[in-house]
Amino acid sequence: MLISAYFRLVRAGYVLAREGALSIIVTRDLPLPLRFGIGLGRVIERPSVRRTGHVERLNRALNRLGPTYVKFGQTLATRPDVVGTEVAADLAGLQDKMEPFDAALVPGILLEALGTKAAELTELSAPIAAASIAQVHQAKLVPAEGLKKTVAVKILRPGVANRFMADIESYYAGARLAERLVRSTRRLKPTQVVETLDRSARLELDLRLEAAAISEFAENIKDDEGFVIPTVSWDHTAQNVLTTTWVDGIPIRDNAALDAAGLDRKALARTLLQSFLKHAIRDGFFHADMHPGNLFADPRTGAVVAVDFGIMGRINRAERRFLADILFGFITRDYRMVAQRHFDIGYVPAAQSVDDFSLAIRSIGEPLHGRTAQDISMARVLGQLFTITDLFQMQARPELVLLQKSMVLVEGVARALDPELDIWTIAEPVVGDWLRREEGPPGKLADLKDGLKIFSDAARRVPTILSQAELALADFHAEKHNREVFPRWMLLALGWLGLILVAVMIWRLATV
């Protein structure tokens, strides 16, 4: 099994290098070992790529390699500032224009998944969109007790789960290999990153979980304006079939159609970015696959319409506070605060210098202020970030992988809508309002609630801790063949000492 994983990894590296994938990486700011590895990989590049500089078949190569590689290509498609406009345009075809599976299989899939309820889905269309995991059909839903309505029926590709798991297995092999051979990659925690992607992939392959995500997401945004999602028909949903209301809209990547409909692209970009920040910072639950193929604009209201909730991200309150502080620090140019928060949460080792890290953060943030999106090269920024995190031994946070990837996607889509996008100005109202709320009575009340929950959980564990301590002491006593009874006063003293330590720990957590 391990040998086959390494074989797939080598094959993927060969195919991507051959089709010119390594040529799109800006190596100037990367560490020397990475620059050497990329240069070595480019030796096998197609002569046509080396001659013209065009990555001619990267789209087809990613399709051939499997669904997880297609997902990676979808992310790159939103970042012409990183990979170049030609490569981004080529990869855009990965978003919802893949080859559909045989339509003759659809009736049988629906019958097996939904049973008699499948008969209520009528007038099934040809595939409207086909992506790496599933394809979508339009249909008419005719329930026995209701009116006919138009719905979207999403169906998983047959056999996609096996391909996804095979890809993930090779990712694990590559991560473990990197950790063994390149010590500097250990701080990036590649294996834990793959575990995060693995968990996300397994959730995406069960459409009932996607339906549940839509339901929770709808509750979070019910009072928001400008961001719309479909609703689920639970009677017509199964592990491999998801039925939702049909949403009409203009693809958000079609600038010409948006302009023809009289929609304000700058307003759309602002709504998209601010909505994402609300979902991540306010709710801690966000759409983690917001590539252009999953986003539309309602021509009547100007709202952003999102679909495909197979990949959702979730971050806890501490991580949301960290994210808000970091963004607000960049907005207000308070780089010392940005640096300090990295130390407070443990992302940078305490042995490092806060002042030096603050200076490094300033070197990234200052060039971004006062610049429009089209003036900023994210490839250079990312290269600089990689160098700085390596210099300060900053640890990767696998739980933030989806958030980081999603921010890259959302910013890329917003850039395409508005090349003059000023991220800091747009982000300030959302981030600032949330932080001000956190510092006020509602935030203090939430802190108190969290402290009480910690206290309650710890108090509930005390009897178990004492019982386990007593058993451990009894075992130790028996192993020593000591026939004297262990003094009960000493056991009670140890128990009370444990309670005092737990109380001190709770007090420290509640006063942080």
Side-chain angles (χ1 to χ4, degrees):
M1 188 69 72
L2 186 60
I3 294 176
S4 64
Y6 281 124
F7 175 77
R8 283 192 296 271
L9 194 64
V10 171
R11 174 177 174 270
Y14 174 81
V15 170
L16 292 173
R18 181 70 171 160
E19 302 302 339
L22 299 180
S23 68
I24 69 179
I25 301 174
V26 179
T27 60
R28 180 173 54 252
D29 297 316
L30 295 180
L32 182 61
L34 282 178
R35 293 204 303 269
F36 176 76
I38 291 170
L40 193 64
R42 292 199 64 184
V43 171
I44 62 174
E45 214 168 70
R46 286 186 182 278
S48 58
V49 174
R50 300 182 64 83
R51 184 174 61 254
T52 65
H54 296 165
V55 187
E56 296 175 338
R57 300 199 303 170
L58 186 53
N59 184 317
R60 187 162 23 164
L62 290 171
N63 268 312
R64 192 163 74 242
L65 288 173
T68 55
Y69 294 92
V70 169
K71 289 289 182 185
F72 178 64
Q74 289 171 348
T75 301
L76 293 181
T78 69
R79 302 316 305 240
D81 54 316
V82 175
V83 300
T85 54
E86 185 176 350
V87 173
D90 179 51
L91 293 175
L94 293 170
Q95 286 158 1
D96 58 5
K97 299 177 182 177
M98 296 181 64
E99 191 70 25
F101 63 82
D102 187 359
L105 299 175
V106 171
I109 293 173
L110 292 178
L111 182 60
E112 183 178 358
L114 304 178
T116 57
K117 289 290 183 181
E120 297 178 354
L121 293 171
T122 63
E123 302 177 41
L124 206 69
S125 73
I128 301 296
S132 58
I133 301 295
Q135 63 190 38
V136 177
H137 300 257
Q138 189 182 75
K140 299 294 183 182
L141 177 59
V142 192
E145 68 286 353
L147 299 174
K148 178 189 293 189
K149 58 182 177 181
T150 305
V151 293
V153 182
K154 180 178 180 179
I155 306 172
L156 287 185
R157 287 179 176 272
V160 70
N162 292 334
R163 288 203 65 183
F164 228 115
M165 293 306 107
D167 288 346
I168 290 292
E169 184 185 0
S170 66
Y171 283 18
Y172 274 118
R176 289 189 290 265
L177 190 64
E179 289 178 348
R180 282 199 299 270
L181 300 181
V182 187
R183 291 180 61 87
S184 61
T185 63
R186 293 178 185 174
R187 68 182 179 82
L188 301 177
K189 302 180 182 177
T191 300
Q192 291 185 41
V193 170
V194 175
E195 286 174 356
T196 301
L197 298 175
D198 185 2
R199 186 162 51 251
S200 170
R202 292 177 189 276
L203 292 175
E204 190 176 7
L205 293 170
D206 189 336
L207 297 183
R208 294 167 299 191
L209 298 179
E210 180 175 347
I214 294 173
S215 175
E216 181 178 348
F217 201 38
E219 290 180 5
N220 290 343
I221 67 170
K222 63 180 183 296
D223 297 324
D224 294 350
E225 295 182 358
F227 195 89
V228 179
I229 65 173
T231 56
V232 177
S233 175
W234 286 99
D235 286 342
H236 305 88
T237 294
Q239 181 270 328
N240 59 339
V241 177
L242 170 63
T243 303
T244 66
T245 52
W246 181 263
V247 291
D248 286 309
I250 300 170
I252 209 162
R253 61 167 170 255
D254 192 344
N255 287 348
L258 296 174
D259 293 340
L263 293 174
D264 184 345
R265 285 194 278 129
K266 289 182 181 292
L268 280 172
R270 182 170 59 252
T271 298
L272 177 64
L273 190 56
Q274 289 185 341
S275 295
F276 174 77
L277 290 173
K278 286 178 185 176
H279 306 155
I281 295 175
R282 181 194 65 191
D283 307 325
F285 188 59
F286 57 91
H287 193 313
D289 197 20
M290 293 178 73
H291 65 72
N294 288 338
L295 296 169
F296 301 85
D298 188 327
R300 297 162 299 177
T301 64
V304 174
V305 182
V307 298
D308 193 353
F309 301 86
I311 304 179
M312 300 296 291
R314 196 184 295 275
I315 53 177
N316 64 35
R317 190 159 172 263
E319 289 157 355
R320 286 150 55 194
R321 179 60 186 263
F322 170 76
L323 172 63
D325 279 342
I326 296 309
L327 289 174
F328 197 70
F330 273 108
I331 291 168
T332 59
R333 302 164 88 166
D334 187 350
Y335 303 114
R336 172 76 186 198
M337 186 268 281
V338 172
Q340 188 61 56
R341 290 294 288 124
H342 279 78
F343 281 80
D344 292 343
I345 204 166
Y347 288 3
V348 178
Q352 298 292 326
S353 166
V354 177
D355 292 329
D356 290 345
F357 191 62
S358 174
L359 194 65
I361 294 295
R362 180 181 290 274
S363 74
I364 296 173
E366 281 299 296
L368 302 180
H369 276 280
R371 302 284 187 91
T372 62
Q374 60 189 351
D375 295 329
I376 299 171
S377 169
M378 285 307 296
R380 295 192 64 179
V381 172
L382 292 173
Q384 190 178 357
L385 276 170
F386 190 94
T387 302
I388 287 174
T389 56
D390 183 44
L391 179 64
F392 289 91
Q393 300 176 342
M394 182 174 168
Q395 298 295 308
R397 307 301 300 185
E399 67 271 21
L400 297 180
V401 168
L402 283 179
L403 177 63
Q404 293 162 341
K405 172 222 173 191
S406 301
M407 290 184 74
V408 169
L409 277 173
V410 172
E411 188 202 352
V413 177
R415 279 170 173 263
L417 288 167
D418 178 13
E420 298 179 350
L421 180 78
D422 183 343
I423 297 169
W424 309 126
T425 301
I426 291 174
E428 196 282 332
V430 176
V431 178
D433 287 350
W434 190 80
L435 283 175
R436 284 185 284 273
R437 178 185 178 280
E438 284 292 288
E439 292 298 327
K444 299 302 181 185
L445 188 62
D447 288 338
L448 179 60
K449 181 180 177 181
D450 290 344
L452 290 174
K453 185 177 185 302
I454 292 172
F455 179 83
S456 174
D457 291 344
R460 227 180 5 251
R461 289 196 298 270
V462 166
T464 303
I465 293 171
L466 290 176
S467 175
Q468 290 174 342
E470 187 174 7
L471 288 172
L473 287 170
D475 290 342
F476 175 77
H477 177 72
E479 288 173 6
K480 292 296 185 180
H481 304 287
N482 186 349
R483 297 190 177 276
E484 293 182 7
V485 178
F486 194 84
R488 187 171 182 81
W489 65 266
M490 188 176 292
L491 181 59
L492 290 173
L494 288 172
W496 278 107
L497 178 61
L499 284 173
I500 292 170
L501 290 174
V502 169
V504 170
M505 179 185 69
I506 292 169
W507 177 80
R508 288 289 301 277
L509 288 171
T511 55
V512 170

